[in-house]
């Protein structure tokens, strides 16, 4: 990551940021993903990796360059990852997991696999982070935005979809349309807050204020994980959005290898900005996987 405040190499990817958020919130989590022998598992000490041994020598690398709030991306070591099969790994995970997130970093999972995952986790809160489906790679490894031809086949399977307006230029058009098919849909807008679509209706929420942004990478993934945690616990969308935005704002102040804030830190931060969050547990609430 190369930002205005410096340059560093650290763990990343949507599943990393989501798993780290769940760890910080006291939840157990499992990652099903291809990864290399050089991936620093030490940053996720409480997370189960499937497969347990890295299937590749080199981990997928994204080079992120931020200038004026915009991001340029180049990807390396990606060819080997396009053949990874998620379905054969599902038996390693509990089918009654509370939250299941489909969060590809590249377009390397198809509608048939998504339907099989949904069938396996029939009772789980099913979450989609779709930005990877819209990424295309040119001959130099540069990431460009393209089309996802299968979105109409699967968006109705999900309970919650979260995306950034930077990743999908017509995110609001999709957010409104997708929400009419059943899921809650969040569109995050960095310093401009977030919008939540429900049955075609939009509601906007202002952002939390952060004095210094160290690294914005992964903030949308943190938002998605924190929202899922809170919504599962309360079934209240506004509480969940406020909690998620507080968590995402805290993540802006730290690099990806330093995300150590906890559940109480998030609540205190929300309270300091006069947006309290009440996350009283619902009956029969369980630890999420």
């Amino acid at each position: 990551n190369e930002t205005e405040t410096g340059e560093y190499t650290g763990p990343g990817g949507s599943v990393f940021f989501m798993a780290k958020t769940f760890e910080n919130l006291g939840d157990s989590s499992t990652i099903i993903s291809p990864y290399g022998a050089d991936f620093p598992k030490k940053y996720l000490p409480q997370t189960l990796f499937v497969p347990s041994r890295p299937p590749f020598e080199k981990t997928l690398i994204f080079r992120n360059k931020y200038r004026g709030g915009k991001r340029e991306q180049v990807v390396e070591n990606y060819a080997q990852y396009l053949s990874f099969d998620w379905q054969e790994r599902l038996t390693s995970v509990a089918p009654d997991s509370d939250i299941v997130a489909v969060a590809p970093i590249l377009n390397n999972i198809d509608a048939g696999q998504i339907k099989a995952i949904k069938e396996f986790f029939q009772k789980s809160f099913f979450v989609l982070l779709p930005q990877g489906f819209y990424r295309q790679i040119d001959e130099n490894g540069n990431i460009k935005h393209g089309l996802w031809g299968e979105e109409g086949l699967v968006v109705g399977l999900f309970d919650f979809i979260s995306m950034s307006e930077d990743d999908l230029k017509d995110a609001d058009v999709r957010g409104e349309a997708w929400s009419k098919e059943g899921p809650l849909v969040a569109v995050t807008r960095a310093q401009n807050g977030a919008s939540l679509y429900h049955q075609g209706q939009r509601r906007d929420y202002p952002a939390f204020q952060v004095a210094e942004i160290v690294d914005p990478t992964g903030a949308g993934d943190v938002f998605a994980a924190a929202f899922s945690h809170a919504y599962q616990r309360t079934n209240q969308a506004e509480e969940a959005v406020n909690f998620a935005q507080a968590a995402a704002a805290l993540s802006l102040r730290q690099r990806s290898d330093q995300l150590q804030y906890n559940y109480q830190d998030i609540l205190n931060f929300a309270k300091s900005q006069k947006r309290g969050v009440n996350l009283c547990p619902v009956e029969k609430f369980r630890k999420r996987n």
Side-chain angles (χ1 to χ4, degrees):
N1 293 321
E2 182 181 331
T3 70
E4 283 86 348
T5 60
E7 181 177 329
Y8 79 100
T9 298
S14 295
V15 292
F16 167 79
F17 287 106
M18 295 192 78
K20 189 60 182 178
T21 302
F22 288 131
E23 280 196 5
N24 287 351
L25 295 174
D27 300 337
S28 62
S29 63
T30 300
I31 288 176
I32 302 177
S33 178
Y35 63 100
D38 56 344
F39 184 82
K41 284 186 176 182
K42 66 180 181 180
Y43 294 112
L44 291 173
Q46 301 171 47
T47 295
L48 175 66
F49 281 74
V50 177
S52 59
R53 294 183 178 180
F56 304 113
E57 179 181 354
K58 295 293 185 180
T59 293
L60 189 74
I61 294 176
F62 269 70
R63 297 188 180 275
N64 300 310
K65 180 182 292 187
Y66 294 91
R67 290 291 183 271
K70 299 297 182 180
R71 179 174 66 178
E72 296 179 1
Q73 293 182 303
V74 178
V75 63
E76 301 174 4
N77 305 329
Y78 64 88
Q80 59 192 355
Y81 288 82
L82 301 180
S83 61
F84 184 82
D85 187 353
W86 280 262
Q87 289 175 249
E88 67 182 36
R89 313 287 182 176
L90 292 180
T91 55
S92 301
V93 187
D96 62 344
S97 298
D98 294 276
I99 297 169
V100 173
V102 176
I105 199 167
L106 296 173
N107 189 1
N108 58 343
I109 181 171
D110 60 33
Q113 290 176 309
I114 293 174
K115 290 177 180 179
I117 294 171
K118 174 67 174 180
E119 180 66 22
F120 186 82
F121 297 105
Q122 295 185 23
K123 298 181 180 180
S124 303
F125 186 68
F126 207 40
V127 179
L128 174 65
L129 278 67
Q131 67 266 33
F133 290 115
Y134 295 94
R135 288 176 175 147
Q136 295 180 346
I137 307 170
D138 68 17
E139 64 276 9
N140 297 315
N142 297 302
I143 295 292
K144 305 295 182 182
H145 293 287
L147 299 176
W148 176 29
E150 296 186 315
E151 63 182 53
L153 302 176
V154 297
V155 293
L157 300 175
F158 291 92
D159 300 300
F160 174 57
I161 301 175
S162 184
M163 55 186 166
S164 166
E165 66 175 2
D166 289 333
D167 288 318
L168 282 78
K169 300 307 180 183
D170 56 350
D172 286 294
V173 174
R174 284 184 163 86
E176 180 181 350
W178 291 354
S179 70
K180 293 177 181 178
E181 297 187 41
L184 287 169
V185 182
V187 176
T188 58
R189 309 181 190 281
Q191 71 273 15
N192 294 318
S195 299
L196 193 67
Y197 287 90
H198 174 58
Q199 296 180 351
Q201 300 299 308
R202 169 178 166 174
R203 183 167 183 180
D204 296 327
Y205 298 86
F208 283 72
Q209 300 303 308
V210 179
E212 181 183 4
I213 297 177
V214 173
D215 186 3
T217 309
D221 308 317
V222 172
F223 175 96
F227 180 96
S228 301
H229 170 103
Y231 190 75
Q232 272 286 89
R233 198 164 182 169
T234 67
N235 202 35
Q236 298 294 320
E238 184 161 339
E239 298 280 352
V241 170
N242 286 338
F243 183 77
Q245 292 215 101
L250 283 179
S251 77
L252 298 174
R253 307 193 303 190
Q254 300 173 342
R255 301 180 348 179
S256 67
D257 55 355
Q258 299 172 341
L259 297 176
Q260 298 302 324
Y261 54 86
N262 59 31
Y263 179 87
Q264 193 60 49
D265 293 333
I266 297 172
L267 296 183
N268 291 342
F269 181 69
K271 185 177 180 180
S272 73
Q273 300 212 7
K274 299 181 180 180
R275 287 167 65 182
V277 179
N278 178 19
L279 295 187
C280 295
V282 298
E283 186 178 3
K284 297 182 181 180
F285 172 68
R286 311 187 304 276
K287 288 285 186 180
R288 285 148 306 282
N289 190 1

